[in-house]
Amino acid sequence: YKMSALSRRSFKVILLGDSGVGKSSLFARFSGDSFTEATFATLQVGSCRRTFRFGDREVTLELWDTAGTERMLSLTENYYHHASAALFLYDVNDQATFLGVQSTWVPSIRRRDPTMTTFLVGNKTDIASTSKYAFENVTLDEARRYESSIIDLKVAGNFQVSVKTEEGVHELFETVAEALCGDV
Ligand code: GDP
């Protein structure tokens, strides 16, 4: 009989960002659902688990979605409670949502738990590439400049993805899982 050296850890990961940036869509992708153009005005906070394996380490991410409660700025303390990682979402076509990350969502973590592992995630790159207003897009360079200005939080990744086409989505979750697994 050989003892298994497999280590298993589970981490709570929360989605933060202004309304409309794609949190629920990302959550649905994570849960294995397909993309839908429809918005769900559900006010129920949901969570979903997925397990990733790196060699002899197994990491389960338990992803939480605000499901619209951020609209009233009424995210509960329970939402943040015991979270290991936070994903700051913005819409790459909407500078206001990138400002929202800086003025609302990053400070909300700073106040509660500056040891949390965080990620910057720009969404809807599928629109950005075709936009004639491309100069207004939030570029990855811009996001990196902002990242390097954050000196009091751990930013473990800086992504731009499309939940619609799934570009970069799998890599995002893998990186989150790996970063948390390395933290153990
Ligand atoms: P939330 O308010 O942050 O939860 O945002 P939702 O997930 O409800 O998304 C808001 C809208 O953006 C919905 O109509 C989605 O279909 C759309 N959306 C989400 N992700 C993408 C994406 O990657 N590309 C495009 N084109 N639309 C997206």
Side-chain angles (χ1 to χ4, degrees):
Y1 176 76
K2 195 163 172 278
M3 284 276 286
S4 165
L6 187 70
S7 90
R8 287 197 177 91
R9 293 291 305 268
S10 181
F11 299 96
K12 175 177 174 181
V13 178
I14 57 176
L15 296 176
L16 295 172
D18 290 353
S19 185
V21 295
K23 297 182 298 300
S24 295
S25 304
L26 185 62
F27 179 80
R29 277 289 193 215
F30 183 82
S31 329
D33 292 349
S34 53
F35 180 82
T36 162
E37 301 284 347
T39 30
F40 300 96
T42 354
L43 295 180
Q44 183 106 38
V45 173
S47 72
C48 180
R49 296 162 169 272
R50 242 173 78 185
T51 299
F52 298 79
R53 193 156 175 181
F54 304 99
D56 58 358
R57 293 199 263 194
E58 220 173 73
V59 185
T60 298
L61 300 185
E62 183 187 299
L63 189 69
W64 286 52
D65 178 29
T66 65
T69 54
E70 79 283 2
R71 251 177 297 227
M72 298 149 294
L73 293 175
S74 64
L75 279 186
T76 60
E77 286 308 316
N78 182 52
Y79 188 71
Y80 290 92
H81 197 57
H82 289 318
S84 299
L87 273 52
F88 299 120
L89 261 76
Y90 61 92
D91 178 342
V92 298
N93 310 286
D94 185 351
Q95 286 281 349
T97 63
F98 187 53
L99 283 177
V101 167
Q102 301 171 51
S103 61
T104 304
W105 304 110
V106 166
S108 81
I109 293 301
R110 206 169 255 149
R111 266 199 315 276
R112 291 180 176 87
D113 181 10
T115 67
M116 217 183 275
T117 302
T118 69
F119 298 82
L120 288 168
V121 184
N123 184 32
K124 310 195 190 183
T125 54
D126 59 289
I127 303 176
S129 55
T130 57
S131 171
K132 61 178 174 171
Y133 303 110
F135 60 91
E136 289 175 350
N137 291 344
V138 182
T139 63
L140 197 51
D141 270 356
E142 200 173 339
R144 288 191 178 125
R145 276 198 298 277
Y146 172 57
E147 178 190 348
S148 53
S149 78
I150 303 176
I151 48 173
D152 55 339
L153 293 183
K154 182 182 174 195
V155 184
N158 201 332
F159 290 85
Q160 289 199 336
V161 305
S162 166
V163 175
K164 184 174 183 172
T165 67
E166 279 196 285
E167 195 194 348
V169 172
H170 185 71
E171 191 196 345
L172 165 67
F173 287 122
E174 283 238 329
T175 305
V176 174
E178 203 163 8
L180 291 174
C181 162
D183 280 352
V184 177

